[in-house]
Amino acid sequence: MSTDRRRFLAGSAVSAGIATLPFSSAAATGAMQPAGHFGPLEGQALLSRNENPYGPAPSAIRAISDSARMGCYYADRGLDRLRAMIAERHRVPREQVVVGSGSTEILCAIALAWGRGEEDRGAILCPDLFWDTTVQYGERQGVQAIRVPLASDMSVDLAALEAGLSEKVALIQICNPNNPTGMLIPAADLRAFAARVTPRATLLVDEAYNELTDTPDDDSVIDLVRAGADVIVCRTFSKIYGMAGLRVGYAITSEANAQRIESHLMSFGGNLGGIAAAIASYDDFAFLEQSRAMVLEGRAMIMDAVKEAGLTALPSQTNFVYVKVPDADAVQSAMRERGISIRGAYGPWTQYSRVSTGMLADVERYAKALPEVIDTLYG
């Protein structure tokens, strides 16, 4: 047997072993290390990007491997299958489901479709602190964004958003739970808000972190879509499914809205590996329960560390915590010196530091370092 063939077979055996490792023996122990150009740097605790390092699920990894030889084909048939699965779970026709290259592509498409829809009615109304990357994309294309301050407790101010609604607003966009605050809008408040505003504008709710909330079904507004309200709900496989780099997301809305969104998508047919992974793991409830448990354990560890350091944090329903500190950039820099990556200040919110859950060993490093950092900087 040639040397090249022996190496190939050895590599295949290793890959197959990784794909079939049980959750507890690989991801949960931190044994599955990043390779090549992906993932954290060597020795780095990566807690700055809201990634879920416990995914993809073993079922998704096997699907990626099994489908790799089909990479010469477009993914449209698999895309149709995934749309059907999503539609079935949420009890809507498949024509009301849009799948994109991550929810980011869909959100960017919405920003253009609604923001440039009509000459005198194309503004996007939104909070002044949320994950607004896709709104900024729209602004670079000439879309107007009207930003409303958060409430005094850092929650999304629904009353202020409603007061800011005018004839020129085509879309109201929020993230629930919100990013970077991690706070959840109470379901009853959001539904009442939707009933008041949707006769005048489309309501877009980015539910990227929904599966990590205490009551995901109750906290979602997909039921409003089924009831015929002018609502768009966006979801992603990047968070609880641990597939950030595989780029699969979706929207659920009316058929007319779905067609409008699809007319502004930039990708064609989807990423075959990502679609295969999404199909395989969408109903992998055992993995989802384990993934959620690890995220919640990491979140609790961060909250305990915050208390130990004499600090406070906003209540979180996500895989990150918004910690109140004297200077977020200074804390970020001090953590970086210890090989721990967290977020610095978001614009003028200089006293809040966002920390993501990650591998529990990395969260433990942050938890141990936080009191030391605070004491060194401000003791």
Side-chain angles (χ1 to χ4, degrees):
M1 184 182 293
S2 70
T3 301
D4 287 345
R5 180 164 175 76
R6 284 196 298 271
R7 288 175 177 169
F8 170 79
L9 291 175
S12 297
V14 171
S15 299
I18 291 174
T20 57
L21 277 175
F23 184 93
S24 59
S25 65
T29 62
M32 192 178 294
Q33 296 297 325
H37 301 290
F38 308 110
L41 301 171
E42 185 177 356
Q44 180 188 44
L46 186 55
L47 306 175
S48 57
R49 300 171 64 175
N50 297 352
E51 295 158 327
N52 175 12
Y54 294 103
S59 57
I61 295 172
R62 288 192 295 269
I64 294 169
S65 177
D66 292 344
S67 65
R69 62 187 176 84
M70 307 300 287
C72 56
Y73 298 107
Y74 290 115
D76 49 317
R77 288 179 58 208
L79 190 65
D80 289 343
R81 173 59 183 152
L82 180 60
R83 288 178 65 195
M85 293 174 69
I86 294 168
E88 180 180 4
R89 177 181 296 182
H90 294 289
R91 306 191 306 280
V92 299
R94 62 194 301 168
E95 292 78 16
Q96 292 184 225
V97 177
V98 180
V99 176
S101 179
S103 57
T104 300
E105 182 190 23
I106 295 172
L107 292 165
C108 285
I110 293 169
L112 295 185
W114 270 256
R116 299 195 306 195
E118 300 176 20
E119 185 175 345
D120 59 346
R121 188 171 183 267
I124 299 175
L125 181 66
C126 56
D128 63 356
L129 180 61
F130 78 117
W131 191 71
D132 65 345
T133 301
T134 60
V135 173
Q136 291 181 35
Y137 169 79
E139 287 181 298
R140 292 192 293 272
Q141 316 305 317
V143 173
Q144 180 187 7
I146 302 171
R147 301 172 190 271
V148 174
L150 297 179
S152 59
D153 65 353
M154 296 292 286
S155 64
V156 174
D157 194 333
L158 296 180
L161 282 171
E162 187 174 354
L165 182 57
S166 67
E167 291 302 316
K168 66 181 178 181
V169 172
L171 182 78
I172 304 169
Q173 181 169 341
I174 61 175
C175 184
N176 193 45
N178 197 19
N179 179 12
T181 67
M183 297 176 70
L184 178 72
I185 302 171
D189 294 347
L190 184 54
R191 287 186 173 87
F193 172 77
R196 294 192 299 269
V197 301
T198 51
R200 301 172 59 190
T202 302
L203 175 62
L204 167 58
V205 184
D206 179 359
E207 293 186 350
Y209 302 93
N210 169 267
E211 295 93 345
L212 297 170
T213 66
D214 290 342
T215 54
D217 290 341
D218 292 340
D219 295 327
S220 175
V221 292
I222 291 177
D223 60 305
L224 299 184
V225 175
R226 287 195 295 268
D230 189 9
V231 172
I232 306 170
V233 174
C234 280
R235 294 276 186 92
T236 181
F237 283 84
S238 294
K239 306 307 175 184
I240 194 168
Y241 288 91
M243 288 173 44
L246 291 167
R247 312 311 302 137
V248 183
Y250 59 95
I252 299 174
T253 186
S254 68
E255 183 176 350
N257 283 347
Q259 291 175 354
R260 189 172 178 181
I261 295 168
E262 288 174 339
S263 71
H264 286 74
L265 294 180
M266 290 176 286
S267 62
F268 177 78
N271 175 306
L272 188 143
I275 296 296
I279 291 171
S281 61
Y282 187 56
D283 293 330
D284 190 344
F285 298 113
F287 166 76
L288 294 177
E289 289 174 8
Q290 291 173 316
S291 177
R292 175 183 166 88
M294 302 304 285
V295 168
L296 297 188
E297 184 175 351
R299 192 169 78 193
M301 289 170 63
I302 294 172
M303 288 299 216
D304 288 345
V306 167
K307 184 177 181 180
E308 171 107 9
L311 304 172
T312 60
L314 298 181
S316 174
Q317 291 276 288
T318 61
N319 65 342
F320 55 87
V321 177
Y322 212 36
V323 183
K324 191 169 186 179
V325 296
D327 185 329
D329 287 340
V331 173
Q332 181 192 42
S333 179
M335 286 289 180
R336 186 186 300 118
E337 292 174 0
R338 291 164 169 78
I340 303 167
S341 174
I342 63 173
R343 285 297 299 261
Y346 282 79
W349 291 272
T350 59
Q351 291 188 304
Y352 283 95
S353 167
R354 196 193 72 183
V355 184
S356 306
T357 63
M359 289 292 184
L360 294 184
D362 293 338
V363 176
E364 188 174 0
R365 286 175 59 185
Y366 169 83
K368 182 179 179 180
L370 184 60
E372 301 171 359
V373 166
I374 297 301
D375 185 62
T376 299
L377 290 175
Y378 307 108

